[in-house]
Amino acid sequence: MINLNDILETINMIRQENLDIRTITMGISLLDCADSDIDRSCEKVYNKIVRCAGNLVKTGEDIEAEYGVPIINKRISVTPISMLVAVSGGDPVKYAHALQRAADTVGVNFIGGFSALVQKGFSAGDVELIRAIPRALNETRNICASVNVGSTKAGINMDAVKMMGEVIRESAELTADRDCIGPAKLVVFCNAVEDNPFMAGAFHGISEPDCVIHVGVSGPGVVHAALKKCDGDLGEVAEIIKRTAFKITRVGQLVGTEAAKRLGVPFGIVDLSLAPTPAVGDSVARILEEMGLDVCGTHGTTAALAMLNDAVKKGGVMACNSVGGLSGAFIPVSEDEGMIAAAQSGDLTIEKLEAMTAVCSVGLDMVVLPGETPAEVISAIIADEAAIGMVNSKTTAVRAIPAIGKKAGEGLNFGGLLGEGPIMAVNLTASPKKFIDRGGRIPAPMQSLKN
Amino acid sequence: MKKTVVTVIGRDTVGIIAKVSAKCAEYDVNIIDITQSVLQDMFVMVMMTDIAGLKCSFKEFSEAMDQLGKELNMEIRVMHEDIFNSMHRI
């Protein structure tokens, strides 16, 4: 018989502390859909997704009912579409529409993979796809785009960085009537991973199997509740986080294994993440505050986050067979109730956020910028963030949304899991234009003499 | 044997065990063990059951129990035992 207290602990985590599986994401390779005729290619893409993922949503719901743990999102990631554009040519937005049709048919809430990997340079299809991103995000609802502009091995493609600043602005302008939702579905990466189950940056890497299931876990509320009972030193705090992360991750392993078995595809990885939502009691910022900071963003935040991030990984690694994805604490501003409050009060600045991204998963995520922010400043923000990822051999990303027509003090409301964010102040007086306009490539960094 | 944990959470009233076990019997669900406790001032009953003889789908049984919970003004959950095993045992 299972211990009564263990049963009650699990029930309490689900009832009170927002324990859930954030996403089951099916990765689907589209390499066998490439055709020199773009319409035929789109049709093959649609057919393959519907064939592989037809039962994804129902399977997720069945598992949710049997195990009693909510599975919030069922999603799909696909091969970077730029590779199909390379073969077919034509207008890449056609692929976005084919993906949207597939999303509607199978009932998933996002398909990620309107992507290009250009860290070392552009090949056929890449520039066309990147230039088409604003239109694709404007004309579809559930498609996510991402572009990898740098890596530790290749350096940073500054031509792509420049282009992405322009693309983000253009995407915001095209969707200005819908709270600039376009760039909220667009991530610019350095060191992008191929098995990420989380949106908006998910795509299915070319070294992955034909079809695979990845799982992203969540549970900031559970960690927060566990820490509330702790008055000990930081060693004890780390221990509690590890134990809690272990339990959360075991649920991910169980659900992923079961989903893969029922769908008849291999199980890929569990992404060990603390993924917040805008709901009260589901915030990563509040965990940092529970550790002893008055407000997230004050001095000490980077240290607290570094410890949290490391303890989550240490606890989670033992709980599952295979770990991957982004794995770490996410700090998206608009998707985290505590981060929103800290940004609103001015305690969390974009500079501090940038420092925090050096020690945790991903990067400047869901950051709302003043509407007047020019493309070159957005590009410079991307370059800074990519440099942190490149030098530290970690994934970093920028998902920034210029709030067209709005100024500091105002904000954007995206609704749902994307949340709402106040505009964060940016240095608009000193321009990085000449640096960005130079273009070219920042060479890959030294891997020795690590200081 | 297919073990499932039924938890009943709410304010204690007369006849909870009778009503919940009657519903289990109606669905051919065998009760293996029952324990009670208190969780944050709430009455909690945990039943270990065997659903091997279940004649409908798991979802149907789970929804019937959920409906019974609403009638009794309590929260009834039906969960596969594996979730507890995997979270609390190495």
Side-chain angles (χ1 to χ4, degrees), chain A residues 210-225:
Chain A
D210 191 56
C211 184
V212 66
I213 287 286
H214 302 308
V215 166
V217 296
S218 178
V222 182
V223 175
H224 187 194

Side-chain angles (χ1 to χ4, degrees), chain A residues 190 272-274 276 284 288 301-310 312-313 326-332 339 352-365 385 388-389 392-397:
Chain A
C190 176
L272 307 176
S273 306
L274 285 183
V284 170
L288 304 177
T301 304
T302 312
L305 182 60
M307 194 185 91
L308 170 67
N309 200 49
D310 182 62
V312 166
K313 287 183 208 167
L326 299 168
S327 283
F330 290 160
I331 47 169
M339 299 284 287
K352 186 64 183 178
L353 196 59
E354 186 182 301
M356 289 161 71
T357 67
V359 299
C360 85
S361 184
V362 204
L364 290 174
D365 198 11
E385 196 56 36
I388 290 174
N392 294 301
S393 304
K394 74 182 285 295
T395 306
T396 50

